Amino acid sequence: MLAEQRQASEGDTTMHKMNYQEKFRPQFHFTPETNWMNDPNGLVYYDGEYHLFYQYHPFGNTWGTMHWGHAVSKDLVHWNHLPIALYPDHNGTIFSGSAVIDWRDTSGFFNGGVGMVAIFTHADEYPDSGRPRQRQSVAYSTDRGRTWIKYEGNPVLSDEAMTDFRDPKVFWHKASNKWVMILAAGNCVRIYRSSNLKQWEFASEFGANEGSHAGVWECPDLFELPVDGDRNRKKWVMVVSVGNSDEYPEGSRTQYFIGQFDGVRFTNENAPETVLWVDHGRDHYAGVTWSDIPEEDGRRLFIAWMSNLKYANHTPTEVWRSAMTIPRSLSLRLTPEGTRLFQTPITELESLRLKKLEWKDIEVKSNEDVLSNISGDIFEIIAEFELNTALEFGFKVRKSADQETIIGYDAEQQMLFIDRTRSGVSDFCEHFPCKHGAVMIPDQNRIQMHIFVDRSSVEVFGNNGEVTMTDLIFPDESSTGIEVYAKEGHVKLVSFMLFSLKKIHPDA
């Protein structure tokens, strides 16, 4: 590892031409040019650019010596790959973290000007025991994130009692006039405060007996959202990822809490045992939101790593490994069960739409394929069904004689589901072929599906983002069939739109 760190520190930032012809390479999701990627890091908007930093191993296509990769975009759809941003040094490798714009130069890094500050975890070992050591450090940039200077006083926060002590997410809390850091600390999160991003004081702890503890807690986020669009009625959302455990076939997942935050403490408004999942699929992890989105935009923008710690090292790609989800806009809405988090695809994705096929008021019966002769490997579906006698209905995508991924609705169980048991290559993990779903109650006897299909993934938004599911799939290139189906009865397809989508890079 030391040799790799020396190589990295010498600035080996050779850029490789991306080959979008590679098998399973997504066509409208973010992927690294080569090698391994995991958690999104340092999401920040500045001077017309969205920055996406990410966990990156430049020496192989499995998890290894962590750096921060870097890309920028003007629309969250088309990305420009930049050289590696942060390299390992004498304090360790570069684990996950966040970035902010220091508008008031509270840090003193910018001589009264404005700049970008990254707050991240340095990971190494205690020299006397070999026990993992994780400490928080700071770096800053005066050139829009192109080059970085690590603070000479690093690390700025440590705790020898904690082994899992990582993934700082920092934001400016206007009401208390302080920077706030939420940090994963074993089976809970800790909150710290600072005036200058360099000296941090402990504020509170949350979660030791709340939510899911099916794995170690990671990659927290904390932000405020209006309820039902009412900016006079806001609540705070805490997002926490839950790592993989051998006991649970689901692997790594992401949960959230709803409550209040006063600048010091977060208070959960639901019962401690309540578990709310951000996404009910298998491949949505380490999701966090962008900092410094302009107020006039008004959105809380979110992206996650589209994989699962249970099998991420073994998915069947070679030159590159892993992708991000499509970016999403988050909102809070009041439901009969209480205030809940909704997700919708960002509107910028509509720029990818090409040919549109549209039908209305179609009766779908058992054993009839009303979408015959329609196919595609990258597309978007927006559909609304009116329930009737069918016990189950939905779509089969990336279909061939022996492969299909089913996105369906079980009317008896009132459950939206994905079935990827016959989706393609799946022998790399016994838990990969599976069927899973979430309860979704019809609205006036109707349910809505918004589906994105890429060459190796499906993302499903049910009932305008009330339920989301994200799954990897690895079908053959020839598996391109699309079918609408019903079982044991009939269902009305009230409306159906299918858009073929542009490839981000037309040479694919």
Side-chain angles (χ1 to χ4, degrees):
M1 187 172 74
L2 291 176
E4 289 183 346
Q5 289 185 16
R6 282 197 297 272
Q7 180 183 353
S9 67
E10 291 167 2
D12 180 12
T13 56
T14 303
M15 305 302 287
H16 301 274
K17 180 173 174 57
M18 212 161 175
N19 179 9
Y20 279 86
Q21 298 283 6
E22 293 156 1
K23 190 174 184 180
F24 304 130
R25 173 76 84 167
Q27 300 298 295
F28 59 90
H29 289 80
F30 180 84
T31 52
E33 292 182 301
T34 59
N35 299 314
W36 168 273
M37 175 185 75
N38 57 294
D39 307 357
N41 297 156
L43 305 182
V44 66
Y45 179 86
Y46 182 60
D47 195 21
E49 290 181 323
Y50 299 93
H51 291 260
L52 170 60
F53 301 90
Y54 53 90
Q55 290 285 277
Y56 184 57
H57 181 212
F59 310 113
N61 63 357
T62 57
W63 189 91
T65 307
M66 286 294 102
H67 300 55
W68 269 24
H70 189 197
V72 294
S73 174
K74 293 187 179 299
D75 62 1
L76 291 166
V77 177
H78 303 85
W79 292 94
N80 179 28
H81 291 267
L82 296 178
I84 291 170
L86 295 177
Y87 291 87
D89 60 16
H90 63 283
N91 282 316
T93 56
I94 314 296
F95 277 16
S96 291
S98 53
V100 296
I101 304 303
D102 189 2
W103 296 102
R104 304 164 188 82
D105 194 23
T106 61
S107 63
F109 291 144
F110 306 110
N111 297 317
V114 175
M116 193 179 296
V117 180
I119 309 94
F120 59 92
T121 299
H122 258 129
D124 63 355
E125 297 177 344
Y126 286 98
D128 57 343
S129 66
R131 182 168 69 97
R133 177 171 64 175
Q134 297 174 1
R135 303 175 292 176
Q136 317 321 310
S137 291
V138 171
Y140 61 96
S141 172
T142 60
D143 59 359
R144 299 163 55 243
R146 269 56 179 182
T147 60
W148 291 85
I149 302 168
K150 293 191 180 111
Y151 174 48
E152 61 184 11
N154 284 338
V156 299
L157 178 63
S158 60
D159 187 331
E160 291 193 17
M162 299 296 302
T163 298
D164 297 304
F165 190 66
R166 58 179 175 267
D167 312 336
K169 181 65 190 291
V170 171
F171 62 94
W172 178 258
H173 186 249
K174 188 175 181 180
S176 61
N177 205 38
K178 292 277 190 180
W179 293 105
V180 171
M181 175 196 295
I182 182 170
L183 179 72
N187 69 339
C188 63
V189 297
R190 290 185 178 179
I191 293 172
Y192 296 84
R193 304 199 305 161
S194 174
S195 296
N196 59 13
L197 295 168
K198 295 181 286 190
Q199 283 84 38
W200 294 89
E201 60 180 17
F202 175 78
S204 64
E205 188 174 279
F206 171 81
N209 298 302
E210 312 222 21
S212 171
H213 290 274
V216 66
W217 281 20
E218 296 187 307
C219 302
D221 200 351
L222 182 61
F223 48 88
E224 192 177 30
L225 287 175
V227 179
D228 291 326
D230 183 354
R231 296 197 169 274
N232 295 314
R233 186 163 56 103
K234 295 183 177 182
K235 293 187 178 182
W236 285 80
V237 181
M238 180 185 291
V239 174
V240 179
S241 289
V242 183
N244 174 49
S245 171
D246 291 340
E247 300 176 47
Y248 299 94
E250 295 88 354
S252 51
R253 293 181 284 175
T254 306
Q255 65 181 327
Y256 71 94
F257 303 90
I258 302 289
Q260 295 298 329
F261 177 65
D262 61 5
V264 176
R265 295 185 180 278
F266 175 83
T267 305
N268 181 16
E269 71 176 28
N270 291 292
E273 64 272 15
T274 301
V275 178
L276 303 174
W277 296 114
V278 173
D279 190 285
H280 295 269
R282 288 291 191 264
D283 296 295
H284 181 284
Y285 193 66
V288 285
T289 62
W290 264 272
S291 171
D292 292 277
I293 298 297
E295 287 188 15
E296 58 268 25
D297 183 300
R299 294 179 296 176
R300 174 61 60 167
L301 299 172
F302 178 78
I303 198 170
W305 179 44
M306 194 161 57
S307 195
N308 193 308
L309 292 172
K310 194 169 283 294
Y311 46 71
N313 277 314
H314 307 291
T315 53
T317 63
E318 296 177 0
V319 175
W320 57 278
R321 187 166 272 132
S322 295
M324 298 298 180
T325 65
I326 57 173
R328 306 168 182 192
S329 180
L330 303 182
S331 61
L332 290 179
R333 300 182 200 174
L334 187 61
T335 74
E337 293 73 38
T339 304
R340 294 294 183 262
L341 186 68
F342 281 62
Q343 301 173 64
T344 52
I346 58 167
T347 56
E348 288 89 339
L349 289 164
E350 295 174 9
S351 68
L352 297 178
R353 291 174 177 173
L354 291 171
K355 183 179 179 181
K356 180 174 81 168
L357 300 175
E358 186 172 9
W359 291 269
K360 292 183 182 295
D361 297 326
I362 298 175
E363 200 74 19
V364 182
K365 301 177 181 178
S366 298
N367 303 316
E368 287 187 7
D369 180 8
V370 298
L371 298 185
S372 58
N373 301 318
I374 296 176
S375 63
D377 62 346
I378 58 168
F379 55 90
E380 175 187 2
I381 290 174
I382 303 174
E384 186 173 28
F385 291 91
E386 184 173 88
L387 279 65
N388 206 305
T389 61
L391 299 183
E392 179 185 311
F393 56 87
F395 297 98
K396 298 177 181 180
V397 300
R398 300 305 308 270
K399 180 177 170 58
S400 63
D402 58 354
Q403 293 182 354
E404 63 185 14
T405 297
I406 303 174
I407 301 158
Y409 187 75
D410 184 323
E412 288 189 318
Q413 300 293 323
Q414 294 187 317
M415 180 170 290
L416 183 69
F417 68 86
I418 294 176
D419 183 345
R420 66 177 184 189
T421 53
R422 300 176 63 240
S423 61
V425 180
S426 63
D427 58 359
F428 52 89
C429 177
E430 63 176 318
H431 298 292
F432 188 87
C434 59
K435 177 181 176 180
H436 48 269
V439 171
M440 189 173 79
I441 307 300
D443 182 8
Q444 297 182 355
N445 204 41
R446 294 185 176 188
I447 65 110
Q448 190 249 6
M449 298 182 190
H450 192 171
I451 301 167
F452 288 82
V453 177
D454 207 339
R455 286 190 174 163
S456 53
S457 66
V458 293
E459 289 174 86
V460 183
F461 301 81
N463 282 0
N464 298 305
E466 177 185 5
V467 174
T468 63
M469 292 187 291
T470 303
D471 271 30
L472 293 176
I473 56 172
F474 298 100
D476 294 341
E477 294 178 4
S478 59
S479 298
T480 59
I482 304 169
E483 178 185 333
V484 61
Y485 78 98
K487 281 187 177 180
E488 299 185 44
H490 60 97
V491 67
K492 186 176 183 180
L493 185 54
V494 178
S495 62
F496 172 86
M497 290 186 290
L498 185 147
F499 299 92
S500 57
L501 299 178
K502 293 179 189 175
K503 301 165 183 175
I504 293 177
H505 290 265
D507 60 340

